[in-house]
Amino acid sequence: MKKILKNIIIALLIAIFSSLSTLVVIYYALGFNQQGFFNLMRFITAYRFIEMKYVNDTSDVDLIDGAIDGMVKSLNDPHSNYLSPKMYQNLMEQTQGSFAGIGVIMGMDNEKNIHIVGVLENSPGLKAGLQVGDQITAVDGTSVTQMAFDEVAAHVRGEPGTNVVITIVRDGAQQDFTITRDNIKLKTVDHEMLENNIGYIQIASFSEDTAQEFKDAYTDLQNQGMKSLVIDLRNNPGGLLTSCVEIAKNLVPQGDIVSIVDKDGNKEVYTSDLAQTPYPVAILINNNSASASEILAGAMQDTHAGTIIGTTSYGKGSVQTILPMMDDDAVKLTIAKYYTPSGRSIDGVGITPDIEVQLDENSPVDTQLNKAKEILNAATAQ
């Protein structure tokens, strides 16, 4: 009997040693070092300890989700975060140009406060009374300070016909708005012809359809006899780099548009083959112009293809990628920084306008647009 028990123990030890050896080989084959292996063992130990000893029932999925979320949050990067299945789905819907929500565009200021920077026409948010400038402090009673920006967006969105309570601060007073969600089709480009044949194109964000929407608007203005162009990027939070680059190819003269550099120094350069910018161009930006909108503004500024007017932009000079996981979730991670054609990194700094013009939100006069018209009229009069 003792011999049998001894053989069983030996077999178990061999099996454990073999499993550990296999794990070590795999781990090192993936490029991890000795410290990395010990860290993995620490994680497994903590995971098993919680699973076996925690007084209440646990969920394996919740434990792993929490671990991944904690890892990403430890980076202290506001643009990197774990995306739950709902958040991942909402992000994909946003880039596709349609989603279920209340029809507001949100932005984050330098103090990490979340404000409404745009309210779509005929949207539930507009009908409920939400306004540009409202500070969102809570969603369904949960403070936004407890959530990443993408989490706030995910909580605001939901199934059509369901309600969400948005708590805002306006003029120092707190208010609750109960809003019924609906299907939102996000039109990202709007345009019109202003006086003196000044074309005007407003880009709200960069989604999958934005480049084509811009091309259609641009062609329509050309057919109407456009002599100069205003591109309004105010309150544009960014979006898809590919859409931004496709638009830039119509405006930025031959050469670099933007360079993307990863942690190993590998560089990817996006370029334009345009002989020259066909019209005088003015670009409007403000402190809520971020990411892809800053790429376009920076390229126009560095190549002297347009005049940048407004206030200093947000300063998001980093690039994120999405890693889909195995449970309809994902990790959004900052993987590179981008540089303007002159080699500038605007991360945390922003684009400083060529002509700084403040905008009084309480005034019906758009001083920034008026300055753009003045500059373009002078350029076409020469």
Side-chain angles (χ1 to χ4, degrees):
M1 181 67 181
K2 290 183 178 180
K3 186 175 182 181
I4 295 174
L5 182 60
K6 181 179 179 181
N7 290 336
I8 292 175
I9 293 174
I10 292 173
L12 286 172
L13 290 173
I14 292 173
I16 293 170
F17 179 78
S18 176
S19 298
L20 286 173
S21 299
T22 302
L23 182 61
V24 170
V25 170
I26 294 173
Y27 201 75
Y28 278 97
L30 292 174
F32 294 101
N33 56 23
Q34 183 178 12
Q35 183 60 52
F37 175 76
F38 283 121
N39 288 338
L40 178 61
M41 292 299 100
R42 290 171 60 218
F43 169 76
I44 293 174
T45 300
Y47 171 73
R48 289 293 293 155
F49 180 58
I50 294 171
E51 189 178 45
M52 295 173 63
K53 296 294 185 179
Y54 183 59
V55 66
N56 296 322
D57 292 337
T58 61
S59 163
D60 289 348
V61 173
D62 289 344
L63 289 175
I64 297 301
D65 287 353
I68 298 172
D69 185 41
M71 277 194 295
V72 180
K73 284 181 177 176
S74 72
L75 302 174
N76 293 318
D77 176 8
H79 308 300
S80 296
N81 55 292
Y82 169 68
L83 303 175
S84 67
K86 180 181 178 182
M87 292 170 62
Y88 183 35
Q89 179 185 1
N90 288 339
L91 180 63
M92 293 299 99
E93 289 174 348
Q94 183 179 6
T95 58
Q96 291 165 4
S98 62
F99 57 91
I102 63 173
V104 299
I105 301 171
M106 298 181 297
M108 181 183 291
D109 63 23
N110 293 330
E111 283 73 43
K112 309 305 179 185
N113 297 315
I114 296 177
H115 294 268
I116 295 175
V117 299
V119 185
L120 303 183
E121 292 183 9
N122 301 317
S123 65
L126 182 65
K127 295 174 183 176
L130 294 180
Q131 300 177 9
V132 172
D134 288 344
Q135 180 183 342
I136 298 177
T137 58
V139 180
D140 283 335
T142 301
S143 171
V144 298
T145 60
Q146 301 177 29
M147 297 181 270
F149 185 82
D150 288 331
E151 289 180 285
V152 177
H155 280 76
V156 170
R157 295 179 189 142
E159 292 296 320
T162 60
N163 290 337
V164 60
V165 179
I166 306 295
T167 303
I168 66 99
V169 172
R170 180 190 301 165
D171 298 329
Q174 182 172 293
Q175 304 178 53
D176 286 339
F177 290 81
T178 300
I179 306 171
T180 302
R181 300 179 178 99
D182 200 355
N183 288 315
I184 306 294
K185 174 61 179 176
L186 183 61
K187 182 182 178 184
T188 58
V189 175
D190 203 358
H191 75 287
E192 63 177 306
M193 184 68 80
L194 305 178
E195 63 271 15
N196 298 327
N197 294 96
I198 298 175
Y200 172 85
I201 298 179
Q202 181 184 45
I203 306 176
S205 63
F206 294 90
S207 68
E208 289 181 356
D209 298 329
T210 303
Q212 185 60 52
E213 289 181 26
F214 176 88
K215 181 179 179 181
D216 293 341
Y218 193 66
T219 300
D220 182 51
L221 291 172
Q222 286 179 316
N223 292 337
Q224 294 184 53
M226 175 172 62
K227 294 182 179 179
S228 59
L229 176 63
V230 175
I231 298 178
D232 193 345
L233 298 176
R234 292 175 294 183
N235 300 322
N236 182 323
L240 297 179
L241 172 65
T242 50
S243 292
C244 171
V245 169
E246 287 305 307
I247 291 172
K249 289 179 179 179
N250 296 279
L251 302 166
V252 177
Q254 187 173 28
D256 293 354
I257 296 172
V258 64
S259 300
I260 310 297
V261 182
D262 67 15
K263 66 181 298 183
D264 297 322
N266 300 312
K267 179 186 289 189
E268 184 175 9
V269 182
Y270 294 86
T271 61
S272 170
D273 295 326
L274 187 68
Q276 63 180 14
T277 306
Y279 306 99
V281 179
I283 308 284
L284 301 181
I285 62 172
N286 64 8
N287 63 315
N288 288 313
S289 303
S291 191
S293 57
E294 294 176 292
I295 289 177
L296 180 56
M300 295 293 286
Q301 186 176 57
D302 281 7
T303 59
H304 306 289
T307 304
I308 312 301
I309 299 170
T311 55
T312 301
S313 62
Y314 180 79
K316 181 179 178 293
S318 59
V319 180
Q320 286 70 41
T321 192
I322 304 294
L323 174 66
M325 307 293 276
M326 299 178 184
D327 194 28
D328 296 326
D329 53 350
V331 169
K332 185 175 76 167
L333 188 70
T334 298
I335 59 164
K337 290 189 176 182
Y338 73 74
Y339 296 84
T340 67
S342 67
R344 287 187 296 163
S345 171
I346 57 90
D347 198 40
V349 178
I351 301 278
T352 301
D354 300 311
I355 302 175
E356 183 169 350
V357 179
Q358 297 291 332
L359 182 67
D360 184 355
E361 299 287 352
N362 298 317
S363 172
V365 178
D366 190 335
T367 51
Q368 295 169 338
L369 179 58
N370 285 346
K371 174 56 72 173
K373 292 177 184 178
E374 177 188 327
I375 296 298
L376 294 177
N377 283 329
T380 54
Q382 294 177 357

